[in-house]
Amino acid sequence: MRLLIVEDERRLAAALSRGLAAEGFAVDVAHDGVDGLHLAREGRYDLIVLDIMLPGLNGYRVCAQLRGAGDDTPILMLTAKDGEYDEAEGLDTGADDYLTKPFSYVVLQARIRALLRRRTRGGAPTLRVGDLTVDPDARRVDRAGTEVPLTAKEFAVLEHLARHAGQVVSKADILAGVWDFAYDGDPNIVEVYISALRRKIDVPFGRRSITTVRGAGYRLEAGGGRHD
């Protein structure tokens, strides 16, 4: 899932980005309201973490403009202020939840999970591709009834493939869906994770479910025939 953080405190924004990326989210960051509104309008996000006190446009105005345009992406507002008026104003402009600084990262993470579950009406559906199951809520992968432990990023790559099962997914699409938009590292990092996934979900079970489509990308297939 892709998150947008709009926060002008750069150290806080960086810390949140690192923490959420470690949980398997793709995270984009903006440091003022104008850039945040632009990214929110142009991108496709599952949730927006939005500070209220921002240069350019404050969080209230960003939220109000998104809601006025019909954008119903869940918004979790952050603020250093503490008072009923601020919370009411934030919620009145269309925010879904409100968190006052300083806050616990564990609490922020729990609020984000709750908003994402609410958006998917109780939880994201389990993805099934043949005898492979991917449970986004539990962050659990099973093959033929056996749990397969994955790292957060491995899980994110597999979830992205599972959501497009049977389709060819390009390396660029995986980078865009799993890493942040500003990622400028080696695109071959995708191959590293694909290889790791094959070693974990295919080889021990005698499967070939992740295939390479030369010059196009990768495809997760339900058949994944056995091999010796």
Side-chain angles (χ1 to χ4, degrees):
M1 289 188 170
R2 180 172 291 279
L3 308 183
L4 172 63
I5 297 173
V6 189
E7 168 61 65
D8 65 326
E9 294 182 38
R10 291 177 180 266
R11 292 179 63 185
L12 174 59
L16 294 180
S17 178
R18 286 194 301 269
L20 292 168
E23 295 296 322
F25 293 105
V27 184
D28 294 339
V29 178
H31 297 297
D32 63 64
V34 175
D35 287 345
L37 181 60
H38 174 73
L39 284 176
R41 283 174 168 171
E42 297 298 318
R44 295 174 59 185
Y45 295 98
D46 296 286
L47 184 139
I48 299 171
V49 178
L50 178 65
D51 188 29
I52 288 179
M53 303 301 291
L54 291 167
L57 288 174
N58 66 37
Y60 296 135
R61 294 178 64 189
V62 171
C63 183
Q65 289 194 39
L66 289 174
R67 294 299 187 244
D71 189 329
D72 64 352
T73 303
I75 294 176
L76 172 61
M77 276 192 161
L78 304 179
T79 182
K81 295 182 177 180
D82 187 11
E84 293 182 359
Y85 174 78
D86 297 317
E87 181 172 0
E89 185 171 358
L91 296 175
D92 283 346
T93 57
D96 298 273
D97 203 354
Y98 185 98
L99 198 56
T100 302
K101 300 175 185 177
F103 53 80
S104 161
Y105 175 73
V106 174
V107 172
L108 173 75
Q109 187 181 44
R111 297 284 185 90
I112 288 174
R113 296 287 186 199
L115 287 174
L116 291 174
R117 284 196 299 272
R118 191 185 310 169
R119 182 174 178 81
T120 54
R121 298 183 179 181
T126 297
L127 305 168
R128 292 181 172 82
V129 186
D131 63 355
L132 181 71
T133 61
V134 180
D135 185 339
D137 285 341
R139 297 274 171 166
R140 176 180 173 125
V141 173
D142 290 88
R143 167 134 264 172
T146 299
E147 183 175 2
V148 182
L150 299 179
T151 67
K153 192 63 77 175
E154 289 168 351
F155 184 92
V157 173
L158 180 60
E159 181 184 0
H160 191 80
L161 290 173
R163 292 186 183 279
H164 301 86
Q167 304 173 27
V168 177
V169 183
S170 70
K171 187 183 297 184
D173 187 60
I174 295 173
L175 284 171
V178 178
W179 280 263
D180 64 81
F181 81 101
Y183 177 78
D184 60 357
D186 187 349
N188 290 327
I189 189 69
V190 174
E191 296 176 14
V192 174
Y193 281 94
I194 293 293
S195 295
L197 285 173
R198 285 172 171 153
R199 289 195 299 270
K200 292 184 177 183
I201 70 168
D202 277 352
V203 175
F205 301 91
R207 298 287 194 274
R208 286 176 174 161
S209 58
I210 302 178
T211 60
T212 299
V213 180
R214 191 172 298 278
Y218 305 95
R219 180 167 52 218
L220 180 65
E221 299 177 300
R226 291 180 176 277
H227 62 83
D228 296 328

